[in-house]
Amino acid sequence: MKKNVCFSLLFICLLSSLTQAQNWYKGNLHTHSLWSDGDDYPEMIMDWYKANDYQFVGLSDHNILQDVDKWVNVPRQQDRRRTFDRYLRTFGPDWVVYQKGANDSLKVRLKKLDEYRNYFEEPGKFLILKNEELSTGYQGKPIHINVTNVKNLIRPLPGNSVADVMQNNIDQVIAQRRLTGQPMFSHINHPNFYYAVKAEDLMQLRHERFFEVFNGHHLVNNYGDSTHEGTESMWDKINLHFLQQGRPLMYGLGTDDSHNYYFFGPTFANSGRSWVMVNAPVLTPKALIEAMEAGRFYTSSGVTLKQLPQFGKTLTVRVKTEPDVTYRIQFFGVRKGSQQAELLREVADSAAIYTLTDDVLLVRAKVTSTKPKYNPFMPGDVETAWTQPIAQSLVPQPLSGIVALPNAHAHNDYEQSRPLWDALDNGFASVEADVHLIDDTLYVAHDRPTFKNPASTLENLYLKPLAERIRQNGGQPLASYKGPFYLMIDAKTNADSTYKALDKVLQRYRSILTIGNKTKNQAGIVTVVLSGNRPIQTLVNAKSRLLSVDGRPADLGKGYNSAVMALISDSYPNQLSWRGKGDMPADEFQRLRQLVERVHKEGKKLRLWASPEDPAVWAKLREAGVDFISTDQLVLARDFLLKATAK
């Protein structure tokens, strides 16, 4: 036993020494002000958070952004007038805009976010995020969804069920993120608020990565009751389901959801009850969001950890201890073959490790202290921390009855809810991933990542899973489909260095790839096509290669054979202005037909990216002979192509 303890401590110390310097940022993403149903002014709230050592805060008022003119009446109630007096005293009459009227009436103009954020923000020290709480419901059940770093106001949509309402509004967030390019994410608020949202509802969601495992509002029932499960139990059920489906894990947030700033106790929604600690390289919205989407954070109501708990397949918990406080570390997880989470190990110590073994599918850690929580969510609460879960990499079983769609191309496939799997489950025979070379590794992302996330490497996100699916299907990515499957890789970094790194990693998958030389290809199961920054001449001169190159219309007529340059791609707006309304102009259709003929004459295939997501447009592309429908809307394109094929 002593040997095991010593080994564990030695291992912990080794991991600690290997861990790079970590920047930790404390933040709350869910809180309210007088812009909706909070009882204080935004500046007073920001002043409290900054004074209490938070580095970022998102004011998330209901269905409103702080970018419009808004005045609030101040009732003659003594407490409301005292709140105004404190505001006026703190910021002064030159800052506070108010009007007094007859019968002692008083109204105050609320400052917009852009008017007060510079008063508080400091680079690397304090950041205010533009948030919104989408608030709606279904048959009397409240459904609230936070949007972090939203750009434009999103108006809540209805739906036909609890899950449908959530999905319709999540889809709006995804659409705005894609349209604007601004990093943002949604998270499901307090599922047990009036017990409106069940684990089974959350299991149905696409593109949702976060929910509140702990919320400080006094009405949200974090712990459940005799007939309703608590949020921690829900969390484990959701993640087992997501893992089996090949979805990214759901991460658990802690938030205040504060509304009350001058009355305190168990019947008020106060600040300081829970927060997230994010490990990000810098304090910017982009870096924070990327870090949280990678699970590089933990949730706390008081316990502080010394380092990022996740380290590959190991959870390493090291508590920053306080005098006269003891700690208990519990590892909860799901064993292979089980459908229930269980307590896998419990340690009465301030440090412990747990490494995933083949018989455990996923695990997370919970740290409880003996220190009572100040102003707790519920009497008797102690300071606690929750790590994010880690899990085995499971390849979901292929669906039966999938119809292969040789003309379907999943553009920016990595932005789908389930990269690769959504495309395959919809029959797509072509997927695309953008890559950035950082050091000697290729990472999949639209923009250059702010840190290196092992889960997002080209190998882990596409090559390994694709090889496993081919093994599952007896030699094909899509069962009963013998045609080529295209993996398009869009190089966002230097052409030559990216190609060298790509060639190196592809060598490990040589047995499933199309192999070519200067004049011909030996067809393989997967054909890799390099787009973006392309070392064309290097590929032309190569005696042997594991990929071909994606050409442009300007490359036609230059003598590049179809073995080296299998595809020609271009932006839809470069070729056409028609957006699907009315009839397509005859001259545009003729110009498109001529381009198709030139491409096909050289034995190549044509793809147009950034085309309108409209079946009317796709119909004309197919009529003209364009080979690939390039889309982000997989289900819409699948239904269109199946219908078109059936005619």
Side-chain angles (χ1 to χ4, degrees), residues 499 516-519 535-545 560-561 564:
Y499 169 67
N517 55 34
K518 293 183 178 182
T519 59
I536 296 179
Q537 202 55 47
T538 299
L539 288 166
V540 168
N541 296 336
K543 294 181 180 179
S544 177
R545 51 184 168 70
Y560 300 128
N561 64 57
V564 174

Side-chain angles (χ1 to χ4, degrees), residues 396-409:
Q397 290 299 311
L399 299 181
S400 59
I402 298 297
V403 177
L405 301 171
N407 304 108
H409 174 77

Side-chain angles (χ1 to χ4, degrees), residues 31-36 40-43 45-46 57-70 109-117 120 128-133 150-153 261:
T31 193
H32 297 270
S33 72
L34 282 165
W35 276 87
S36 61
D40 206 354
Y41 301 87
E43 303 98 302
I45 297 168
M46 290 301 105
V57 178
L59 271 180
S60 54
D61 283 297
H62 298 278
N63 300 332
I64 193 170
L65 295 179
Q66 299 173 26
D67 58 5
V68 296
D69 284 324
K70 184 176 176 66
R109 178 184 176 273
L110 298 181
K111 294 286 188 182
K112 299 177 184 179
L113 174 59
D114 287 343
E115 292 178 297
Y116 70 80
R117 72 185 317 160
F120 297 98
I128 302 175
L129 294 165
K130 187 178 180 180
N131 286 15
E132 176 189 359
E133 184 172 16
V150 66
K151 186 176 181 66
N152 303 312
L153 180 69
Y261 303 93

Side-chain angles (χ1 to χ4, degrees), residues 459-472:
E459 184 166 26
N460 287 335
L461 203 57
Y462 282 95
L463 295 173
K464 281 184 181 178
L466 191 54
E468 177 60 20
R469 174 53 59 90
I470 289 169
R471 187 196 65 78
Q472 285 178 335

Side-chain angles (χ1 to χ4, degrees), residues 188-204:
I188 305 302
N189 292 340
H190 44 60
N192 275 350
F193 183 44
Y194 291 99
Y195 295 110
V197 179
K198 300 185 185 317
E200 290 73 18
D201 300 317
L202 293 165
M203 288 177 188
Q204 300 177 48

Side-chain angles (χ1 to χ4, degrees), residues 265-504:
T267 59
F268 297 98
N270 298 142
S271 299
R273 285 181 173 157
S274 189
W275 54 88
V276 291
M277 295 291 295
V278 181
N279 172 225
V282 290
L283 184 62
T284 64
K286 181 177 187 292
L288 289 172
I289 290 171
E290 283 188 10
M292 293 188 70
E293 290 181 331
R296 296 178 67 88
F297 71 101
Y298 65 90
T299 287
S300 180
S301 66
V303 171
T304 301
L305 303 183
K306 288 185 176 181
Q307 68 182 62
L308 184 70
Q310 296 90 328
F311 192 87
K313 287 192 173 184
T314 299
L315 280 180
T316 304
V317 180
R318 299 176 67 236
V319 179
K320 185 177 181 180
T321 59
E322 296 185 40
D324 302 319
V325 178
T326 59
Y327 301 88
R328 180 178 59 172
I329 301 171
Q330 297 173 303
F331 294 97
F332 294 93
V334 181
R335 296 186 187 276
K336 189 175 292 185
S338 175
Q339 296 298 311
Q340 298 289 333
E342 61 182 277
L343 178 61
L344 300 173
R345 184 185 303 163
E346 184 171 341
V347 179
D349 202 345
S350 62
I353 60 172
Y354 193 101
T355 300
L356 277 176
T357 53
D358 289 342
D359 64 323
V360 177
L361 294 177
L362 62 92
V363 65
R364 61 177 175 85
K366 180 179 181 179
V367 185
T368 54
S369 72
T370 55
K371 183 179 179 180
K373 173 66 179 172
Y374 173 75
N375 188 20
F377 162 75
M378 183 173 288
D381 281 357
V382 294
E383 292 187 348
T384 304
W386 298 261
T387 76
Q388 301 310 318
I390 60 173
Q392 302 284 1
S393 296
L394 296 187
V395 174
Q397 290 299 311
L399 299 181
S400 59
I402 298 297
V403 177
L405 301 171
N407 304 108
H409 174 77
H411 178 253
N412 290 345
D413 177 76
Y414 52 90
E415 292 186 339
Q416 295 298 324
S417 177
R418 301 187 309 152
L420 182 62
W421 308 128
D422 281 345
L424 291 174
D425 283 356
N426 283 289
F428 278 55
S430 181
V431 298
E432 179 180 353
D434 297 348
V435 299
H436 298 258
L437 179 64
I438 302 177
D439 295 333
D440 59 349
T441 303
L442 294 167
Y443 294 89
V444 177
H446 190 273
D447 300 313
R448 183 179 177 85
T450 57
F451 64 91
K452 297 179 287 186
N453 179 10
S456 295
T457 66
L458 177 68
E459 184 166 26
N460 287 335
L461 203 57
Y462 282 95
L463 295 173
K464 281 184 181 178
L466 191 54
E468 177 60 20
R469 174 53 59 90
I470 289 169
R471 187 196 65 78
Q472 285 178 335
N473 267 343
Q476 296 295 331
L478 294 164
S480 73
Y481 173 65
K482 304 298 183 183
F485 182 90
Y486 291 94
L487 173 59
M488 180 172 287
I489 299 171
D490 190 338
K492 298 296 186 182
T493 41
N494 176 267
D496 291 317
S497 58
T498 303
Y499 169 67
K500 288 178 182 178
L502 180 58
D503 182 68
K504 182 178 179 180

